Amino acid sequence: MVKLQAQNLNLYFGKNHVLKDVNLDIQDKKITAMIGPSGCGKSTLLRTFNRMNDLIPDVKISGSVRLGENDIYAGKMDLYKLRAKIGMVFQKPNPFPKSIFKNVSFGLDIAGKHQKCEIADIVEESLKAVWLWDEVKNRLHCSAMSLSGGQQQRLCIARALANEPEVLLLDEPTSALDPQSTARIEELCLALKDRVSILIVTHNIAQAGRIADFTAFMYLGEMIEYAPTTKMFTVPQDKRTEAYLTGAFG
């Protein structure tokens, strides 16, 4: 089942045509990896899926992005609710300058829908979901900035999970991490896909091969190929995909 869908999506920054008639289906409770050379539009597309590009001046978007049956660019959209449903984790861990607890509860506090005891339970559940609870349970009220880089990235994922998202967008979440922390995040993605659809941008082709059910290849703002990962990596349909996978460019 398709959870998130882009149809004929175009995006301009001023006169610069960045995304060109992009079509992409993100399957429910699967991991989709998006690969391609630097500057091809991967992160821009990712940010289009929860309207982060709205914050940039002179942006023009056409086409549609559908979450389930709803076009997120049609009519009046509550962006807070949208970004709760489509959570995003960035390349560099970005914990807030608050306590570990307050980082995870941030979205819940803003929504104001939960009692304190409920929030505490959700924080614990979210930290357990990212395998961080046992590491921080005795220092929940210490600064999140005291955590290691890998712990901070898992905390950011827990912060997104606390809002019960339907889709989790990960923008090169391991590029700033050491190999051990990278492996931890990859294992975490595999564990989380039973509860949330994941779209991950990665420059690490091997990483896509290890964790992704589907892979999308972008080049110069176009979606060149999208297929089950095993199929794309063994019998790519486009010569540009094959060239990228074999290291001919990128």
Side-chain angles (χ1 to χ4, degrees), residues 113-245:
K113 295 180 180 178
H114 300 277
Q115 301 294 323
K116 284 188 176 181
C117 60
E118 292 178 312
I119 290 176
D121 288 343
I122 294 171
V123 168
E124 179 176 344
E125 179 189 346
S126 301
L127 289 170
K128 284 180 175 177
V130 300
W131 307 329
L132 197 54
W133 174 253
D134 288 339
E135 298 171 38
V136 303
K137 62 184 179 183
N138 295 321
R139 50 183 178 133
L140 291 174
H141 300 292
C142 295
S143 171
M145 312 309 284
S146 65
L147 299 175
S148 69
Q151 288 175 323
Q152 287 184 8
Q153 195 64 299
R154 281 187 283 147
L155 179 69
C156 292
I157 295 174
R159 188 172 66 201
L161 290 177
N163 297 309
E164 298 184 341
E166 297 179 33
V167 179
L168 187 60
L169 307 174
L170 305 175
D171 192 2
E172 296 186 58
T174 63
S175 64
L177 303 181
D178 59 68
Q180 185 176 4
S181 296
T182 294
R184 192 83 162 148
I185 296 293
E186 290 181 6
E187 291 170 13
L188 178 59
C189 288
L190 291 169
L192 289 176
K193 74 174 184 177
D194 288 338
R195 62 185 283 180
V196 65
S197 306
I198 296 174
L199 175 59
I200 179 171
V201 166
T202 180
H203 278 292
N204 188 333
I205 294 174
Q207 182 175 74
R210 286 191 296 267
I211 69 171
D213 300 290
F214 298 88
T215 297
F217 171 59
M218 286 195 72
Y219 183 58
L220 299 178
E222 298 181 25
M223 186 60 64
I224 303 300
E225 189 167 347
Y226 168 71
T229 300
T230 51
K231 180 180 179 182
M232 181 182 289
F233 278 40
T234 53
V235 284
Q237 299 300 298
D238 191 285
K239 290 183 178 180
R240 291 166 293 182
T241 309
E242 182 177 6
Y244 182 75
L245 292 173

Side-chain angles (χ1 to χ4, degrees), residues 6-193:
Q7 291 184 310
N8 301 320
L9 184 65
N10 287 272
L11 181 143
Y12 296 81
F13 291 141
K15 295 182 179 180
N16 186 17
H17 194 182
V18 179
L19 300 179
K20 304 170 184 177
D21 289 318
V22 171
N23 292 281
L24 179 65
D25 292 345
I26 304 303
Q27 301 297 323
D28 189 30
K29 294 185 173 64
K30 300 291 184 182
I31 299 175
T32 301
M34 191 150 49
I35 62 174
S38 296
C40 70
K42 301 185 302 298
S43 292
T44 298
L45 178 58
L46 203 70
R47 291 165 185 258
T48 303
F49 285 137
N50 72 347
R51 295 188 53 172
M52 291 291 290
N53 289 319
D54 289 17
L55 304 172
I56 301 173
D58 299 322
V59 168
K60 180 182 177 182
I61 296 173
S62 64
S64 68
V65 175
R66 306 189 75 84
L67 177 63
E69 298 298 320
N70 300 312
D71 185 345
I72 70 170
Y73 284 93
K76 293 184 178 180
M77 172 64 62
D78 185 322
L79 293 185
Y80 170 76
K81 290 182 179 179
L82 173 66
R83 290 169 186 157
K85 289 182 178 180
I86 306 179
M88 187 160 184
V89 175
F90 298 92
Q91 180 176 0
K92 184 178 178 181
N94 64 334
F96 302 142
K98 300 174 179 288
S99 70
I100 294 168
F101 186 97
K102 283 294 185 182
N103 263 268
V104 182
S105 71
F106 184 79
L108 305 173
D109 294 336
I110 291 176
K113 295 180 180 178
H114 300 277
Q115 301 294 323
K116 284 188 176 181
C117 60
E118 292 178 312
I119 290 176
D121 288 343
I122 294 171
V123 168
E124 179 176 344
E125 179 189 346
S126 301
L127 289 170
K128 284 180 175 177
V130 300
W131 307 329
L132 197 54
W133 174 253
D134 288 339
E135 298 171 38
V136 303
K137 62 184 179 183
N138 295 321
R139 50 183 178 133
L140 291 174
H141 300 292
C142 295
S143 171
M145 312 309 284
S146 65
L147 299 175
S148 69
Q151 288 175 323
Q152 287 184 8
Q153 195 64 299
R154 281 187 283 147
L155 179 69
C156 292
I157 295 174
R159 188 172 66 201
L161 290 177
N163 297 309
E164 298 184 341
E166 297 179 33
V167 179
L168 187 60
L169 307 174
L170 305 175
D171 192 2
E172 296 186 58
T174 63
S175 64
L177 303 181
D178 59 68
Q180 185 176 4
S181 296
T182 294
R184 192 83 162 148
I185 296 293
E186 290 181 6
E187 291 170 13
L188 178 59
C189 288
L190 291 169
L192 289 176
K193 74 174 184 177

